């Protein structure tokens, strides 16, 4: 009877989802939400100028990427114009 207990524990461990395997999913999801949130955030910042400094702080990495990587500029310009 004692020999079956470890086997049952192993089965239970196999059916339980692995939490460590989920973190790349969440990192990617948060990254895409951050990037895609720039359009609505800019629209909101344009409507309410008091929010503009917070927008500039939060999206400073995207602005730096815009200036450092010219191939990204047309896509980002199109996306931001889409939200205007």
């Amino acid at each position: 009877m004692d020999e079956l207990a470890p086997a049952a524990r192993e089965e239970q461990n196999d059916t339980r989802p692995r939490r460590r395997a989920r973190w790349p999913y969440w990192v990617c999801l948060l990254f895409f939400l951050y990037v895609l949130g720039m359009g609505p955030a800019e629209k909101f910042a344009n409507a309410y100028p008091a929010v503009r400094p917070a927008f500039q702080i939060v999206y400073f990495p995207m602005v730096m990427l815009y200036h450092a990587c010219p191939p990204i500029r047309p896509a980002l310009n199109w996306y931001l114009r889409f939200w205007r």
Side-chain angles (χ1 to χ4, degrees), residues 24-76:
Y25 168 78
W26 288 109
V27 169
C28 290
L29 180 67
L30 289 175
F31 174 74
F32 285 116
L33 289 176
Y34 170 75
V35 172
L36 294 177
M38 188 173 185
E42 185 184 18
K43 185 174 185 174
F44 186 76
N46 287 338
Y48 301 99
V51 181
R52 174 65 67 186
F55 171 80
Q56 290 172 340
I57 291 170
V58 170
Y59 284 101
F60 179 75
M62 287 296 295
V63 172
M64 293 307 297
L65 184 65
Y66 176 87
H67 291 295
C69 188
I72 284 182
R73 292 179 189 170
L76 195 55

Side-chain angles (χ1 to χ4, degrees), residues 2-18:
D2 292 331
E3 293 176 17
L4 295 177
R9 269 190 244 128
E10 286 178 17
E11 273 186 36
Q12 185 181 17
N13 289 340
D14 290 342
T15 59
R16 204 171 0 146
R18 296 183 182 197

Side-chain angles (χ1 to χ4, degrees), residues 35-40 74-84:
V35 172
L36 294 177
M38 188 173 185
L76 195 55
N77 284 335
W78 174 85
Y79 185 68
L80 293 177
R81 271 188 268 128
F82 175 78
W83 282 96
R84 287 186 187 158

